[in-house]
Amino acid sequence: GAVVSQHPSWVICKSGTSVKIECRSLDFQATTMFWYRQFPKQSLMLMATSNEGSKATYEQGVEKDKFLINHASLTLSTLTVTSAHPEDSSFYICSARKRSFYSNQPQHFGDGTRLSIL
Amino acid sequence: DAKTTQPTSMDCAEGRAANLPCNHSTISGNEYVYWYRQIHSQGPQYIIHGLKNNETNEMASLIITEDRKSSTLILPHATLRDTAVYYCIVRVYSGGSNYKLTFGKGTLLTVNP
């Protein structure tokens, strides 16, 4: 159980285009989803936390108008990178935490989306 | 900011136990310790978590010291597929009912044939 699916796995697009990444919890309901970014040879950096039906909370330094997050249901969150530029090229990873009475439920991660902007 | 300290890298022979240490000396009484691993070019995989008691599941065992200032993740019989970066994380409360995981640099475990 606790499978998180992320789509697409990789995408290459031209500078200036917008890219949407989907994150789905396949076998559980996720009240909270998280978006991370990872540059080569670096650790994961949290970008934002989103609760179903609420606006996302962005980490310091992350532009909310550039990285649009929608968490419209308990099983789906999307990240849209608007007007992407080469510096936005990175490995984007989503994570979801199961809806539960217990607050110590672990987060489960998708397999990531490798984004390359030309 | 990560609240844990881990060695940068470790080696282990295939078939032997891998013991990965983690220091979290500033941990508070109600904070959990989580362990994840990341194999190259994949998302992190949840391994185990604990508060103060030792924990065991099908993947690993987690030993937490009595003062909770450190813990050890044990992979009882390491295989080549266990080669990965292992992250020890103390979850941080971020308001409301939210918590977040802040990843440090982790330990690169290399299992050798």
mmCIF file of all heavy atoms in Angstrom, chain B residues 61-107:
data_model
loop_
_atom_site.group_PDB
_atom_site.id
_atom_site.type_symbol
_atom_site.label_atom_id
_atom_site.label_comp_id
_atom_site.label_asym_id
_atom_site.label_seq_id
_atom_site.Cartn_x
_atom_site.Cartn_y
_atom_site.Cartn_z
ATOM 1 N N SER B 61 15.503 -2.448 11.103
ATOM 2 C CA SER B 61 15.242 -2.201 12.524
ATOM 3 C C SER B 61 15.761 -0.820 12.868
ATOM 4 O O SER B 61 16.759 -0.352 12.296
ATOM 5 C CB SER B 61 15.941 -3.241 13.398
ATOM 6 O OG SER B 61 15.391 -4.520 13.188
ATOM 7 N N LEU B 62 15.092 -0.179 13.800
ATOM 8 C CA LEU B 62 15.492 1.138 14.270
ATOM 9 C C LEU B 62 15.726 1.053 15.763
ATOM 10 O O LEU B 62 14.815 0.677 16.517
ATOM 11 C CB LEU B 62 14.406 2.171 13.962
ATOM 12 C CG LEU B 62 14.614 3.584 14.493
ATOM 13 C CD1 LEU B 62 15.898 4.198 13.914
ATOM 14 C CD2 LEU B 62 13.419 4.466 14.156
ATOM 15 N N ILE B 63 16.951 1.381 16.150
ATOM 16 C CA ILE B 63 17.306 1.366 17.554
ATOM 17 C C ILE B 63 17.488 2.812 18.002
ATOM 18 O O ILE B 63 18.315 3.545 17.439
ATOM 19 C CB ILE B 63 18.623 0.589 17.796
ATOM 20 C CG1 ILE B 63 18.556 -0.797 17.150
ATOM 21 C CG2 ILE B 63 18.918 0.498 19.289
ATOM 22 C CD1 ILE B 63 17.472 -1.683 17.698
ATOM 23 N N ILE B 64 16.727 3.231 18.989
ATOM 24 C CA ILE B 64 16.795 4.599 19.507
ATOM 25 C C ILE B 64 17.351 4.537 20.920
ATOM 26 O O ILE B 64 16.872 3.752 21.746
ATOM 27 C CB ILE B 64 15.398 5.262 19.502
ATOM 28 C CG1 ILE B 64 14.819 5.246 18.089
ATOM 29 C CG2 ILE B 64 15.478 6.689 20.027
ATOM 30 C CD1 ILE B 64 13.384 5.754 18.001
ATOM 31 N N THR B 65 18.349 5.362 21.193
ATOM 32 C CA THR B 65 18.939 5.353 22.525
ATOM 33 C C THR B 65 17.932 5.851 23.558
ATOM 34 O O THR B 65 16.980 6.563 23.218
ATOM 35 C CB THR B 65 20.199 6.216 22.577
ATOM 36 O OG1 THR B 65 19.860 7.556 22.174
ATOM 37 C CG2 THR B 65 21.277 5.669 21.654
ATOM 38 N N GLU B 66 18.192 5.502 24.801
ATOM 39 C CA GLU B 66 17.238 5.833 25.856
ATOM 40 C C GLU B 66 17.053 7.342 26.004
ATOM 41 O O GLU B 66 15.953 7.817 26.274
ATOM 42 C CB GLU B 66 17.719 5.241 27.180
ATOM 43 C CG GLU B 66 16.640 5.218 28.252
ATOM 44 C CD GLU B 66 17.036 4.368 29.448
ATOM 45 O OE1 GLU B 66 17.926 3.501 29.311
ATOM 46 O OE2 GLU B 66 16.449 4.586 30.514
ATOM 47 N N ASP B 67 18.135 8.103 25.795
ATOM 48 C CA ASP B 67 18.020 9.563 25.894
ATOM 49 C C ASP B 67 17.500 10.182 24.592
ATOM 50 O O ASP B 67 17.338 11.398 24.504
ATOM 51 C CB ASP B 67 19.352 10.199 26.292
ATOM 52 C CG ASP B 67 20.448 9.978 25.257
ATOM 53 O OD1 ASP B 67 20.149 9.446 24.165
ATOM 54 O OD2 ASP B 67 21.600 10.320 25.538
ATOM 55 N N ARG B 68 17.288 9.367 23.561
ATOM 56 C CA ARG B 68 16.729 9.755 22.273
ATOM 57 C C ARG B 68 17.628 10.703 21.493
ATOM 58 O O ARG B 68 17.196 11.279 20.505
ATOM 59 C CB ARG B 68 15.335 10.376 22.439
ATOM 60 C CG ARG B 68 14.336 9.474 23.100
ATOM 61 C CD ARG B 68 12.928 10.029 23.054
ATOM 62 N NE ARG B 68 12.443 10.080 21.683
ATOM 63 C CZ ARG B 68 12.087 11.196 21.064
ATOM 64 N NH1 ARG B 68 12.181 12.371 21.653
ATOM 65 N NH2 ARG B 68 11.653 11.145 19.812
ATOM 66 N N LYS B 69 18.862 10.817 21.873
ATOM 67 C CA LYS B 69 19.747 11.745 21.176
ATOM 68 C C LYS B 69 20.419 11.112 19.960
ATOM 69 O O LYS B 69 21.105 11.804 19.196
ATOM 70 C CB LYS B 69 20.792 12.296 22.133
ATOM 71 C CG LYS B 69 20.192 13.198 23.196
ATOM 72 C CD LYS B 69 21.254 13.828 24.085
ATOM 73 C CE LYS B 69 20.600 14.785 25.084
ATOM 74 N NZ LYS B 69 21.608 15.466 25.937
ATOM 75 N N SER B 70 20.259 9.842 19.797
ATOM 76 C CA SER B 70 20.805 9.207 18.598
ATOM 77 C C SER B 70 20.021 7.943 18.276
ATOM 78 O O SER B 70 19.276 7.431 19.119
ATOM 79 C CB SER B 70 22.285 8.871 18.775
ATOM 80 O OG SER B 70 22.445 7.890 19.783
ATOM 81 N N SER B 71 20.194 7.489 17.051
ATOM 82 C CA SER B 71 19.527 6.258 16.643
ATOM 83 C C SER B 71 20.400 5.550 15.617
ATOM 84 O O SER B 71 21.334 6.146 15.048
ATOM 85 C CB SER B 71 18.136 6.538 16.064
ATOM 86 O OG SER B 71 18.210 7.384 14.929
ATOM 87 N N THR B 72 20.092 4.287 15.394
ATOM 88 C CA THR B 72 20.809 3.487 14.407
ATOM 89 C C THR B 72 19.811 2.711 13.572
ATOM 90 O O THR B 72 18.914 2.062 14.119
ATOM 91 C CB THR B 72 21.776 2.483 15.086
ATOM 92 O OG1 THR B 72 22.708 3.204 15.883
ATOM 93 C CG2 THR B 72 22.518 1.665 14.045
ATOM 94 N N LEU B 73 19.962 2.819 12.281
ATOM 95 C CA LEU B 73 19.165 2.018 11.360
ATOM 96 C C LEU B 73 19.968 0.776 11.024
ATOM 97 O O LEU B 73 21.136 0.869 10.667
ATOM 98 C CB LEU B 73 18.868 2.797 10.075
ATOM 99 C CG LEU B 73 18.054 2.040 9.029
ATOM 100 C CD1 LEU B 73 16.593 1.963 9.469
ATOM 101 C CD2 LEU B 73 18.161 2.699 7.662
ATOM 102 N N ILE B 74 19.329 -0.370 11.136
ATOM 103 C CA ILE B 74 20.019 -1.630 10.860
ATOM 104 C C ILE B 74 19.344 -2.357 9.710
ATOM 105 O O ILE B 74 18.143 -2.654 9.760
ATOM 106 C CB ILE B 74 20.025 -2.546 12.104
ATOM 107 C CG1 ILE B 74 20.705 -1.849 13.272
ATOM 108 C CG2 ILE B 74 20.726 -3.867 11.782
ATOM 109 C CD1 ILE B 74 20.613 -2.606 14.589
ATOM 110 N N LEU B 75 20.120 -2.592 8.661
ATOM 111 C CA LEU B 75 19.683 -3.473 7.578
ATOM 112 C C LEU B 75 20.342 -4.815 7.862
ATOM 113 O O LEU B 75 21.554 -4.944 7.759
ATOM 114 C CB LEU B 75 20.132 -2.934 6.224
ATOM 115 C CG LEU B 75 19.771 -1.491 5.897
ATOM 116 C CD1 LEU B 75 20.310 -1.102 4.517
ATOM 117 C CD2 LEU B 75 18.274 -1.298 5.941
ATOM 118 N N PRO B 76 19.583 -5.830 8.235
ATOM 119 C CA PRO B 76 20.189 -7.045 8.785
ATOM 120 C C PRO B 76 21.059 -7.831 7.801
ATOM 121 O O PRO B 76 22.070 -8.398 8.202
ATOM 122 C CB PRO B 76 18.985 -7.873 9.244
ATOM 123 C CG PRO B 76 17.812 -7.302 8.534
ATOM 124 C CD PRO B 76 18.119 -5.864 8.267
ATOM 125 N N HIS B 77 20.687 -7.865 6.548
ATOM 126 C CA HIS B 77 21.465 -8.600 5.551
ATOM 127 C C HIS B 77 21.507 -7.756 4.284
ATOM 128 O O HIS B 77 20.656 -7.881 3.417
ATOM 129 C CB HIS B 77 20.833 -9.968 5.256
ATOM 130 C CG HIS B 77 20.608 -10.809 6.473
ATOM 131 N ND1 HIS B 77 21.636 -11.446 7.133
ATOM 132 C CD2 HIS B 77 19.484 -11.095 7.159
ATOM 133 C CE1 HIS B 77 21.143 -12.095 8.172
ATOM 134 N NE2 HIS B 77 19.840 -11.904 8.218
ATOM 135 N N ALA B 78 22.488 -6.900 4.211
ATOM 136 C CA ALA B 78 22.541 -5.944 3.102
ATOM 137 C C ALA B 78 22.750 -6.646 1.761
ATOM 138 O O ALA B 78 23.523 -7.610 1.652
ATOM 139 C CB ALA B 78 23.655 -4.933 3.334
ATOM 140 N N THR B 79 22.053 -6.148 0.747
ATOM 141 C CA THR B 79 22.251 -6.635 -0.618
ATOM 142 C C THR B 79 22.721 -5.473 -1.487
ATOM 143 O O THR B 79 22.677 -4.312 -1.070
ATOM 144 C CB THR B 79 20.939 -7.199 -1.206
ATOM 145 O OG1 THR B 79 20.043 -6.105 -1.443
ATOM 146 C CG2 THR B 79 20.285 -8.186 -0.249
ATOM 147 N N LEU B 80 23.145 -5.796 -2.686
ATOM 148 C CA LEU B 80 23.635 -4.754 -3.590
ATOM 149 C C LEU B 80 22.550 -3.716 -3.871
ATOM 150 O O LEU B 80 22.838 -2.535 -4.083
ATOM 151 C CB LEU B 80 24.127 -5.381 -4.893
ATOM 152 C CG LEU B 80 25.278 -6.378 -4.762
ATOM 153 C CD1 LEU B 80 25.655 -6.934 -6.140
ATOM 154 C CD2 LEU B 80 26.492 -5.741 -4.104
ATOM 155 N N ARG B 81 21.299 -4.148 -3.841
ATOM 156 C CA ARG B 81 20.201 -3.231 -4.109
ATOM 157 C C ARG B 81 19.944 -2.257 -2.972
ATOM 158 O O ARG B 81 19.127 -1.342 -3.109
ATOM 159 C CB ARG B 81 18.924 -4.026 -4.405
ATOM 160 C CG ARG B 81 18.921 -4.705 -5.758
ATOM 161 C CD ARG B 81 17.652 -5.491 -5.981
ATOM 162 N NE ARG B 81 17.508 -6.584 -5.024
ATOM 163 C CZ ARG B 81 16.466 -7.409 -4.989
ATOM 164 N NH1 ARG B 81 15.468 -7.247 -5.842
ATOM 165 N NH2 ARG B 81 16.413 -8.376 -4.106
ATOM 166 N N ASP B 82 20.601 -2.461 -1.844
ATOM 167 C CA ASP B 82 20.475 -1.522 -0.728
ATOM 168 C C ASP B 82 21.418 -0.335 -0.863
ATOM 169 O O ASP B 82 21.400 0.566 -0.013
ATOM 170 C CB ASP B 82 20.739 -2.249 0.592
ATOM 171 C CG ASP B 82 19.648 -3.253 0.934
ATOM 172 O OD1 ASP B 82 18.468 -2.956 0.658
ATOM 173 O OD2 ASP B 82 19.982 -4.330 1.470
ATOM 174 N N THR B 83 22.248 -0.324 -1.884
ATOM 175 C CA THR B 83 23.115 0.833 -2.132
ATOM 176 C C THR B 83 22.238 2.038 -2.439
ATOM 177 O O THR B 83 21.436 2.028 -3.373
ATOM 178 C CB THR B 83 24.071 0.551 -3.299
ATOM 179 O OG1 THR B 83 24.998 -0.472 -2.911
ATOM 180 C CG2 THR B 83 24.833 1.808 -3.688
ATOM 181 N N ALA B 84 22.369 3.081 -1.607
ATOM 182 C CA ALA B 84 21.491 4.240 -1.716
ATOM 183 C C ALA B 84 21.976 5.311 -0.746
ATOM 184 O O ALA B 84 22.870 5.075 0.075
ATOM 185 C CB ALA B 84 20.045 3.859 -1.378
ATOM 186 N N VAL B 85 21.367 6.480 -0.828
ATOM 187 C CA VAL B 85 21.575 7.512 0.184
ATOM 188 C C VAL B 85 20.476 7.358 1.230
ATOM 189 O O VAL B 85 19.296 7.314 0.886
ATOM 190 C CB VAL B 85 21.525 8.934 -0.415
ATOM 191 C CG1 VAL B 85 21.691 9.977 0.685
ATOM 192 C CG2 VAL B 85 22.604 9.094 -1.484
ATOM 193 N N TYR B 86 20.887 7.237 2.484
ATOM 194 C CA TYR B 86 19.946 7.034 3.581
ATOM 195 C C TYR B 86 19.815 8.323 4.383
ATOM 196 O O TYR B 86 20.800 8.910 4.809
ATOM 197 C CB TYR B 86 20.435 5.898 4.487
ATOM 198 C CG TYR B 86 20.243 4.548 3.838
ATOM 199 C CD1 TYR B 86 21.097 4.117 2.826
ATOM 200 C CD2 TYR B 86 19.193 3.714 4.203
ATOM 201 C CE1 TYR B 86 20.914 2.893 2.200
ATOM 202 C CE2 TYR B 86 18.998 2.487 3.585
ATOM 203 C CZ TYR B 86 19.869 2.084 2.588
ATOM 204 O OH TYR B 86 19.668 0.873 1.965
ATOM 205 N N TYR B 87 18.583 8.745 4.567
ATOM 206 C CA TYR B 87 18.306 9.986 5.271
ATOM 207 C C TYR B 87 17.647 9.699 6.618
ATOM 208 O O TYR B 87 16.645 8.990 6.691
ATOM 209 C CB TYR B 87 17.361 10.873 4.464
ATOM 210 C CG TYR B 87 17.901 11.338 3.134
ATOM 211 C CD1 TYR B 87 17.563 10.693 1.950
ATOM 212 C CD2 TYR B 87 18.739 12.452 3.059
ATOM 213 C CE1 TYR B 87 18.039 11.126 0.734
ATOM 214 C CE2 TYR B 87 19.218 12.899 1.838
ATOM 215 C CZ TYR B 87 18.873 12.232 0.686
ATOM 216 O OH TYR B 87 19.344 12.676 -0.523
ATOM 217 N N CYS B 88 18.206 10.296 7.643
ATOM 218 C CA CYS B 88 17.622 10.274 8.982
ATOM 219 C C CYS B 88 17.018 11.665 9.200
ATOM 220 O O CYS B 88 17.723 12.670 9.068
ATOM 221 C CB CYS B 88 18.720 9.980 10.004
ATOM 222 S SG CYS B 88 18.287 10.273 11.717
ATOM 223 N N ILE B 89 15.745 11.728 9.507
ATOM 224 C CA ILE B 89 15.061 13.019 9.559
ATOM 225 C C ILE B 89 14.209 13.115 10.816
ATOM 226 O O ILE B 89 13.462 12.184 11.145
ATOM 227 C CB ILE B 89 14.135 13.194 8.331
ATOM 228 C CG1 ILE B 89 14.924 13.022 7.024
ATOM 229 C CG2 ILE B 89 13.458 14.554 8.362
ATOM 230 C CD1 ILE B 89 14.041 12.887 5.804
ATOM 231 N N VAL B 90 14.347 14.250 11.487
ATOM 232 C CA VAL B 90 13.439 14.563 12.587
ATOM 233 C C VAL B 90 12.380 15.496 12.022
ATOM 234 O O VAL B 90 12.694 16.569 11.512
ATOM 235 C CB VAL B 90 14.174 15.226 13.767
ATOM 236 C CG1 VAL B 90 13.172 15.695 14.818
ATOM 237 C CG2 VAL B 90 15.170 14.252 14.368
ATOM 238 N N ARG B 91 11.163 15.051 12.066
ATOM 239 C CA ARG B 91 10.084 15.815 11.476
ATOM 240 C C ARG B 91 9.863 17.111 12.239
ATOM 241 O O ARG B 91 9.928 17.145 13.467
ATOM 242 C CB ARG B 91 8.805 14.958 11.520
ATOM 243 C CG ARG B 91 7.693 15.442 10.659
ATOM 244 C CD ARG B 91 6.515 14.512 10.786
ATOM 245 N NE ARG B 91 6.013 14.443 12.150
ATOM 246 C CZ ARG B 91 4.852 13.866 12.477
ATOM 247 N NH1 ARG B 91 4.119 13.302 11.535
ATOM 248 N NH2 ARG B 91 4.456 13.830 13.728
ATOM 249 N N VAL B 92 9.577 18.184 11.491
ATOM 250 C CA VAL B 92 9.418 19.508 12.083
ATOM 251 C C VAL B 92 7.956 19.931 12.005
ATOM 252 O O VAL B 92 7.325 19.820 10.958
ATOM 253 C CB VAL B 92 10.288 20.542 11.330
ATOM 254 C CG1 VAL B 92 10.030 21.944 11.853
ATOM 255 C CG2 VAL B 92 11.761 20.188 11.468
ATOM 256 N N TYR B 93 7.436 20.417 13.115
ATOM 257 C CA TYR B 93 6.069 20.922 13.136
ATOM 258 C C TYR B 93 6.040 22.245 12.373
ATOM 259 O O TYR B 93 6.865 23.129 12.594
ATOM 260 C CB TYR B 93 5.616 21.128 14.575
ATOM 261 C CG TYR B 93 4.232 21.690 14.709
ATOM 262 C CD1 TYR B 93 3.123 20.966 14.265
ATOM 263 C CD2 TYR B 93 4.008 22.940 15.298
ATOM 264 C CE1 TYR B 93 1.850 21.474 14.398
ATOM 265 C CE2 TYR B 93 2.739 23.450 15.429
ATOM 266 C CZ TYR B 93 1.661 22.708 14.984
ATOM 267 O OH TYR B 93 0.389 23.215 15.113
ATOM 268 N N SER B 94 5.032 22.377 11.467
ATOM 269 C CA SER B 94 5.008 23.580 10.643
ATOM 270 C C SER B 94 3.687 24.344 10.758
ATOM 271 O O SER B 94 3.386 25.192 9.921
ATOM 272 C CB SER B 94 5.278 23.214 9.176
ATOM 273 O OG SER B 94 4.355 22.240 8.712
ATOM 274 N N GLY B 95 2.932 24.072 11.797
ATOM 275 C CA GLY B 95 1.713 24.842 12.035
ATOM 276 C C GLY B 95 0.454 24.073 11.726
ATOM 277 O O GLY B 95 0.443 23.238 10.822
ATOM 278 N N GLY B 96 -0.621 24.375 12.454
ATOM 279 C CA GLY B 96 -1.876 23.655 12.265
ATOM 280 C C GLY B 96 -1.676 22.189 12.544
ATOM 281 O O GLY B 96 -1.178 21.814 13.594
ATOM 282 N N SER B 97 -2.070 21.361 11.585
ATOM 283 C CA SER B 97 -1.839 19.926 11.744
ATOM 284 C C SER B 97 -0.709 19.461 10.825
ATOM 285 O O SER B 97 -0.607 18.283 10.492
ATOM 286 C CB SER B 97 -3.121 19.145 11.425
ATOM 287 O OG SER B 97 -3.524 19.412 10.096
ATOM 288 N N ASN B 98 0.107 20.381 10.396
ATOM 289 C CA ASN B 98 1.138 20.086 9.408
ATOM 290 C C ASN B 98 2.508 19.840 10.019
ATOM 291 O O ASN B 98 2.918 20.502 10.974
ATOM 292 C CB ASN B 98 1.246 21.238 8.399
ATOM 293 C CG ASN B 98 0.036 21.303 7.488
ATOM 294 O OD1 ASN B 98 -0.539 20.283 7.143
ATOM 295 N ND2 ASN B 98 -0.343 22.495 7.122
ATOM 296 N N TYR B 99 3.191 18.885 9.419
ATOM 297 C CA TYR B 99 4.581 18.611 9.730
ATOM 298 C C TYR B 99 5.332 18.534 8.414
ATOM 299 O O TYR B 99 4.741 18.270 7.379
ATOM 300 C CB TYR B 99 4.729 17.272 10.449
ATOM 301 C CG TYR B 99 4.072 17.241 11.806
ATOM 302 C CD1 TYR B 99 2.710 16.972 11.930
ATOM 303 C CD2 TYR B 99 4.812 17.470 12.959
ATOM 304 C CE1 TYR B 99 2.106 16.938 13.175
ATOM 305 C CE2 TYR B 99 4.212 17.434 14.203
ATOM 306 C CZ TYR B 99 2.851 17.177 14.297
ATOM 307 O OH TYR B 99 2.262 17.145 15.526
ATOM 308 N N LYS B 100 6.622 18.792 8.446
ATOM 309 C CA LYS B 100 7.374 18.661 7.214
ATOM 310 C C LYS B 100 8.685 17.949 7.474
ATOM 311 O O LYS B 100 9.238 17.983 8.566
ATOM 312 C CB LYS B 100 7.625 20.024 6.567
ATOM 313 C CG LYS B 100 8.365 21.030 7.425
ATOM 314 C CD LYS B 100 8.457 22.355 6.676
ATOM 315 C CE LYS B 100 9.210 23.394 7.507
ATOM 316 N NZ LYS B 100 9.276 24.708 6.809
ATOM 317 N N LEU B 101 9.153 17.275 6.436
ATOM 318 C CA LEU B 101 10.432 16.584 6.482
ATOM 319 C C LEU B 101 11.476 17.447 5.806
ATOM 320 O O LEU B 101 11.302 17.844 4.657
ATOM 321 C CB LEU B 101 10.340 15.240 5.759
ATOM 322 C CG LEU B 101 9.332 14.222 6.282
ATOM 323 C CD1 LEU B 101 9.359 12.970 5.404
ATOM 324 C CD2 LEU B 101 9.635 13.854 7.729
ATOM 325 N N THR B 102 12.541 17.723 6.515
ATOM 326 C CA THR B 102 13.653 18.489 5.947
ATOM 327 C C THR B 102 14.826 17.543 5.748
ATOM 328 O O THR B 102 15.335 16.979 6.712
ATOM 329 C CB THR B 102 14.042 19.645 6.871
ATOM 330 O OG1 THR B 102 12.914 20.510 7.042
ATOM 331 C CG2 THR B 102 15.185 20.440 6.262
ATOM 332 N N PHE B 103 15.220 17.385 4.505
ATOM 333 C CA PHE B 103 16.274 16.432 4.166
ATOM 334 C C PHE B 103 17.649 17.075 4.312
ATOM 335 O O PHE B 103 17.885 18.174 3.813
ATOM 336 C CB PHE B 103 16.099 15.948 2.728
ATOM 337 C CG PHE B 103 14.979 14.967 2.556
ATOM 338 C CD1 PHE B 103 13.659 15.383 2.540
ATOM 339 C CD2 PHE B 103 15.245 13.610 2.406
ATOM 340 C CE1 PHE B 103 12.621 14.482 2.395
ATOM 341 C CE2 PHE B 103 14.215 12.699 2.252
ATOM 342 C CZ PHE B 103 12.904 13.133 2.250
ATOM 343 N N GLY B 104 18.541 16.371 4.989
ATOM 344 C CA GLY B 104 19.949 16.761 5.035
ATOM 345 C C GLY B 104 20.681 16.067 3.901
ATOM 346 O O GLY B 104 20.077 15.698 2.888
ATOM 347 N N LYS B 105 21.980 15.878 4.078
ATOM 348 C CA LYS B 105 22.773 15.262 3.019
ATOM 349 C C LYS B 105 22.746 13.738 3.065
ATOM 350 O O LYS B 105 23.076 13.079 2.092
ATOM 351 C CB LYS B 105 24.218 15.763 3.102
ATOM 352 C CG LYS B 105 24.345 17.267 2.869
ATOM 353 C CD LYS B 105 25.802 17.696 2.826
ATOM 354 C CE LYS B 105 25.930 19.207 2.716
ATOM 355 N NZ LYS B 105 25.244 19.749 1.538
ATOM 356 N N GLY B 106 22.375 13.176 4.204
ATOM 357 C CA GLY B 106 22.256 11.727 4.296
ATOM 358 C C GLY B 106 23.588 11.007 4.267
ATOM 359 O O GLY B 106 24.669 11.608 4.220
ATOM 360 N N THR B 107 23.496 9.682 4.329
ATOM 361 C CA THR B 107 24.667 8.803 4.251
ATOM 362 C C THR B 107 24.584 7.972 2.989
ATOM 363 O O THR B 107 23.581 7.279 2.766
ATOM 364 C CB THR B 107 24.711 7.838 5.464
ATOM 365 O OG1 THR B 107 24.864 8.574 6.660
ATOM 366 C CG2 THR B 107 25.858 6.842 5.311
#
